[in-house]
Amino acid sequence: MREAEIRELPGLVGEQVRVSGWLYNARSSGKLRFLVVRDGSGYLQAVVFKTGVAEKVWAEAERVTQESSLCVMGTVKEEKRAPGGVELQVEDLEIVQLCPEYPITPKEHGPDFLLNNRHLWLRSKRQHAVMRVRNELTFGIRDFFYRRNYVQIDSPILTPSSSEGTATLFETDYFGEKAYLSQSGQLYLEPAAAAHGKVYCFGPTFRAEKSKTRRHLTEFWMVEPEIAWMRFEGLLDLAEEFVSELVARVLDRCKEDLERLEREVSALEPATRRPYPRIDYGDAVEKLKGRGFEVKFGDDFGGDEETALADESGKPIMITRYPAAIKAFYMEPDPNDPTRALAVDMIAPEGYGEIIGGSERIGSYELLEKRIAEHGLPRQAYEWYLDVRKYGGFPHAGFGMGIERVVTWLCGLSHLREAIPYPRMINRLYP
Ligand code: 4AD
Ligand code: MG
């Protein structure tokens, strides 16, 4: 008897198979018992006829509890009404481990309870669908860059310096010296761009965010491309091409998952089409004022402002040329107005907020030196970063995209905590 994954069963009608998995749920109807088995690849209706199996098999089918691990053996039958169009007519059943009362039941549970049981919650249908979308997205990201001849450069997690401001640094002791968990791999990519031209990193990043919002995690995954000789306009085009291609890929390959999540796919379709609206920071401020927001030129935008700006467009929007004073130290000034930075934020529609932040990088050694001082950063920790401008300086640009923000948007979730397998937040480190 061959071992089969549930996903393969539609192609095995009439064959005898053995499927290993967990009991998702069960119901009885007289002399029939319907066991829904899941194995990660799908859900299978396994039918036990009291009169068609040994007494012991029937007893096991009656005894088996939710989330017990088990193997079912039988013949694959066509059944139009069952998921996948097939069911299993059970001949034998083996309980591997009988599960005591499972904490997560079909009834409503609060978010804290579910997060405390995240290790089990991952088995639930919705969570399963979210992780599959995340998987498609992350593979799509690597594929996007691989097809364009980028080289993946893994950046370190333990670092001597900050890249995105000192307010959100996690500090740790490094054999008597201070070290910080990386907020971004960008600074390490810039030297690598001088070695390979087009590079990217993709890994966990850390921010000691003291705020409790639905958009912030303390540990999140970021993908960051960095491209030698690329200018600001080219960066905007790349960001747009990247996001539109990824959304199209997920819509194409995750239909079932999005359906399970009851995600309105028509809301995502505009994002597959380029171009995306581009709006100057100054115009964005005016637009917000027109909508009754109390903002003035020079303010950073919060979640509410981002939501209002993205409102009417079904596509992500790109806000460009922010005041240099509210952005990171490494951003190239706008040649037409040096108080502005060649910076971009991409804002997802439907109130999902910023998904991308990027910029052209400062080219001048002297200016970078000045900015490091202005931001109160310890110069000696950035000597190597200044070297990028000393030994063959070159124009370059890049951006970072937070994976969980994008998964949250694609899946239509209400909070980032469901977009990562094990969320880390201000008051959550368990499990
Ligand atoms: O805008 P940020 O801070 O940009 C950087 O880190 C640059 N060094 C990137 C680059 O140019 N290479 O972060 C980039 C993205 C944000 O747009 C957002 O999607 C995500 O990272 N992000 C977070 N996601 C979850 N939780 C948080 N606390 C996040 N902070 C940023
Ligand atoms: Mg940002």
Side-chain angles (χ1 to χ4, degrees):
M1 193 176 292
R2 66 171 282 184
E3 290 277 350
E5 285 184 28
I6 293 172
R7 84 171 88 238
E8 305 172 288
L9 298 184
L12 297 175
V13 173
E15 290 193 39
Q16 278 207 316
V17 298
R18 172 190 170 96
V19 173
S20 304
W22 295 261
L23 186 73
Y24 188 69
N25 63 43
R27 66 190 167 85
S28 298
S29 143
K31 295 192 176 343
L32 285 177
R33 189 145 170 84
F34 297 95
L35 307 176
V36 177
V37 176
R38 52 163 203 89
D39 71 346
S41 83
Y43 299 84
L44 167 68
Q45 175 162 290
V47 187
V48 192
F49 284 89
K50 185 171 184 180
T51 53
V53 294
E55 233 169 78
K56 183 174 167 284
V57 173
W58 178 255
E60 292 293 88
E62 285 208 300
R63 184 169 81 98
V64 66
T65 49
Q66 186 195 351
E67 288 304 323
S68 291
S69 43
L70 78 175
C71 302
V72 283
M73 283 69 74
T75 308
V76 183
K77 297 266 158 142
E78 211 167 301
E79 171 51 66
K80 292 266 174 313
R81 290 161 301 177
V86 293
E87 64 180 21
L88 191 77
Q89 190 180 317
V90 175
E91 285 143 27
D92 199 3
L93 181 160
E94 187 188 307
I95 297 175
V96 176
Q97 192 249 324
L98 191 69
C99 182
E101 197 168 339
Y102 192 64
I104 302 178
T105 59
K107 75 164 209 269
E108 286 277 319
H109 296 287
D112 250 356
F113 176 85
L114 290 169
L115 288 167
N116 283 334
N117 287 285
R118 183 59 171 170
H119 54 299
L120 303 176
W121 191 24
L122 287 172
R123 303 181 189 189
S124 300
K125 269 191 176 165
R126 275 180 60 86
Q127 302 308 313
H128 184 263
V130 173
M131 288 308 130
R132 287 177 51 91
V133 170
R134 183 182 169 110
N135 176 56
E136 189 60 47
L137 178 71
T138 55
F139 189 78
I141 286 167
R142 294 187 203 282
D143 190 38
F144 179 95
F145 290 126
Y146 187 80
R147 279 186 281 115
R148 287 162 178 79
N149 299 303
Y150 282 64
V151 175
Q152 184 186 323
I153 298 290
D154 301 313
S155 49
I157 287 174
L158 289 167
T159 68
S161 52
S162 136
S163 69
E164 303 302 314
T166 48
T168 61
L169 278 178
F170 274 113
E171 196 180 298
T172 179
D173 172 65
Y174 195 75
F175 308 112
E177 266 180 67
K178 273 186 190 168
Y180 308 97
L181 301 186
S182 176
Q183 298 168 305
S184 156
Q186 176 199 323
L187 303 195
Y188 292 93
L189 280 187
E190 292 183 42
H196 294 276
K198 295 186 287 190
V199 293
Y200 75 101
C201 64
F202 192 1
T205 45
F206 305 85
R207 307 269 169 108
E209 298 278 1
K210 302 219 170 60
S211 56
K212 279 195 235 174
T213 84
R214 62 193 170 95
R215 290 177 184 165
H216 290 97
L217 297 167
T218 53
E219 176 177 311
F220 63 97
W221 281 63
M222 181 153 52
V223 56
E224 299 178 84
E226 190 72 33
I227 309 94
W229 310 105
M230 182 174 269
R231 298 290 192 164
F232 190 54
E233 288 300 319
L235 185 72
L236 300 182
D237 291 342
L238 177 70
E240 191 179 79
E241 185 183 349
F242 184 54
V243 174
S244 59
E245 205 172 283
L246 291 171
V247 175
R249 179 181 182 124
V250 168
L251 284 180
D252 182 43
R253 302 170 88 119
C254 296
K255 286 198 180 71
E256 267 182 44
D257 300 308
L258 295 172
E259 210 169 285
R260 184 150 288 154
L261 292 161
E262 296 172 322
R263 179 62 165 126
E264 196 66 68
V265 293
S266 61
L268 293 170
E269 267 153 12
T272 63
R273 291 187 287 274
R274 300 174 62 186
Y276 293 169
R278 297 175 185 188
I279 173 171
D280 181 88
Y281 167 86
D283 297 335
V285 170
E286 289 311 312
K287 198 165 163 183
L288 287 170
K289 280 183 185 161
R291 299 225 174 145
F293 278 86
E294 281 198 25
V295 288
K296 54 180 192 317
F297 195 95
D299 289 350
D300 206 355
F301 301 146
D304 291 343
E305 284 85 1
E306 287 172 0
T307 302
L309 285 168
D311 223 347
E312 78 232 49
S313 166
K315 294 181 177 189
I317 62 164
M318 293 196 278
I319 305 175
T320 60
R321 303 172 61 251
Y322 283 79
I326 57 170
K327 287 291 182 189
F329 73 94
Y330 50 69
M331 294 184 175
E332 177 74 4
D334 182 348
N336 299 316
D337 176 1
T339 68
R340 302 269 210 116
L342 293 177
V344 58
D345 278 3
M346 187 187 286
I347 314 292
E350 300 176 86
Y352 289 99
E354 179 193 330
I355 52 174
I356 279 181
S359 76
E360 193 171 319
R361 318 306 189 190
I362 286 179
S364 146
Y365 187 95
E366 291 71 28
L367 179 60
L368 185 59
E369 220 178 10
K370 191 163 154 254
R371 286 287 154 84
I372 289 172
E374 282 168 4
H375 282 253
L377 299 168
R379 152 107 198 206
Q380 75 286 359
Y382 294 86
E383 214 58 68
W384 64 275
Y385 184 62
L386 281 158
D387 276 353
V388 179
R389 281 82 184 162
K390 183 172 172 187
Y391 300 109
F394 56 109
H396 56 290
F399 65 76
M401 183 175 89
I403 299 312
E404 292 77 17
R405 296 265 178 100
V406 178
V407 171
T408 298
W409 167 41
L410 294 177
C411 293
L413 308 175
S414 58
H415 197 298
L416 254 66
R417 64 192 172 208
E418 285 184 52
I420 186 164
Y422 296 97
R424 299 289 176 246
M425 294 173 287
I426 184 164
N427 46 17
R428 178 157 302 278
L429 189 58
Y430 179 92

